[in-house]
Amino acid sequence: MDRTSFETTWRANEDPRLVLVATDTSATSASAERAGIELAARVGASLIFLSVIDPDRLRLPGGLFHTRVDQVRSERGSALARMVEDARNHGVSALSLIWEGDPGTVVIEAAEAEGADVIVVGSHARGTVGRLLLGSVSAFVVEHSRRDVVIVRPDQLLDDVWPLDSPHGVPIVSRQAAT
C-alpha cells in the first residue's frame, strides 16, 4: 500500500482503537512488544498480543518434530501472559492469542478477524540474503495486509516509528521491505 492509499484508508481524525502486536516472544520482538504497549497507552487503545506457531518450522527433514507444538504453545503462553500483565500495569486492556499456521498469513487473518486498526510487528533485520533464505514475516504483512502496519526494529522505540508530533491519527508507517 503506498502512502496515498494509506492516507485514504486511515480514519484521519481517529486514533486506533485496537492494536495487534505480532510477536514470536523472542528477544528480537521485545522492541515491538514495548512499542505496542506504549502505542496503546498513548492513544487509549486495547491491545492484542498474537503469537503464531508454524508447525512446519518445528519439523525435521522426514516429518518428525524436533519440538512439539504443545511445548511451544506452553512456552509462548507463559511469555504472552507476562506481556498482558505488563500492558495492564500500564493501564492498557490487553489479551493474548496463539494461532497456528504460516506466520505472515495468520497475522493478517487474525488482524482481520479481531478488527485491529493497526498491526505492530518486529523485524529481525536479517538483510536481503536472510530474507531470501528465511523469508520476512514483516515484509509479507506490509505487502498483503489491508491494515496499517508499523515495523519496529530491535533498536527502535515507538517514537522512532510513531512520533508524538505526527498529525492526529496519522503515524509514520514503514512501508518499505523489512530489513
Side-chain angles (χ1 to χ4, degrees):
M1 186 181 297
D2 63 24
R3 186 74 180 153
T4 303
S5 61
F6 167 76
E7 289 173 349
T8 60
T9 60
W10 185 257
R11 294 174 315 279
N13 294 321
E14 295 181 30
D15 284 325
R17 294 169 303 214
L18 181 59
V19 175
L20 184 137
V21 176
T23 176
D24 62 5
T25 71
S26 71
T28 306
S29 294
S31 292
E33 295 157 7
R34 283 190 303 272
I37 292 170
E38 187 178 340
L39 173 58
R42 183 183 290 180
V43 301
S46 295
L47 182 61
I48 296 175
F49 291 103
L50 170 71
S51 188
V52 181
I53 299 170
D54 184 352
D56 291 341
R57 293 187 184 177
L58 303 179
R59 292 185 192 275
L60 296 169
L64 297 175
F65 284 95
H66 63 80
T67 307
R68 293 187 349 226
V69 173
D70 62 321
Q71 291 171 321
V72 175
R73 181 177 292 278
S74 176
E75 292 167 4
R76 298 249 180 116
S78 296
L80 290 169
R82 288 189 296 275
M83 288 175 217
V84 167
E85 181 180 354
D86 188 26
R88 290 177 179 164
N89 288 338
H90 284 86
V92 175
S93 173
L95 60 88
S96 65
L97 301 171
I98 300 175
W99 286 25
E100 290 183 28
D102 173 72
T105 302
V106 169
V107 167
I108 294 168
E109 289 173 354
E112 294 283 330
E114 297 297 327
D117 297 303
V118 65
I119 300 168
V120 177
V121 63
S123 173
H124 287 270
R126 287 189 178 110
T128 305
V129 174
R131 280 193 311 275
L132 288 173
L133 293 174
L134 299 173
S136 170
V137 172
S138 56
F140 182 89
V141 172
V142 166
E143 185 174 330
H144 295 93
S145 180
R146 291 184 284 163
R147 301 293 196 247
D148 297 304
V149 178
V150 178
I151 296 175
V152 183
R153 293 194 172 96
D155 59 340
Q156 289 182 312
L157 303 172
L158 177 63
D159 287 339
D160 296 328
V161 294
W162 190 298
L164 278 171
D165 60 354
S166 66
H168 182 76
V170 182
I172 305 301
V173 175
S174 177
R175 292 285 177 205
Q176 64 198 17
T179 56

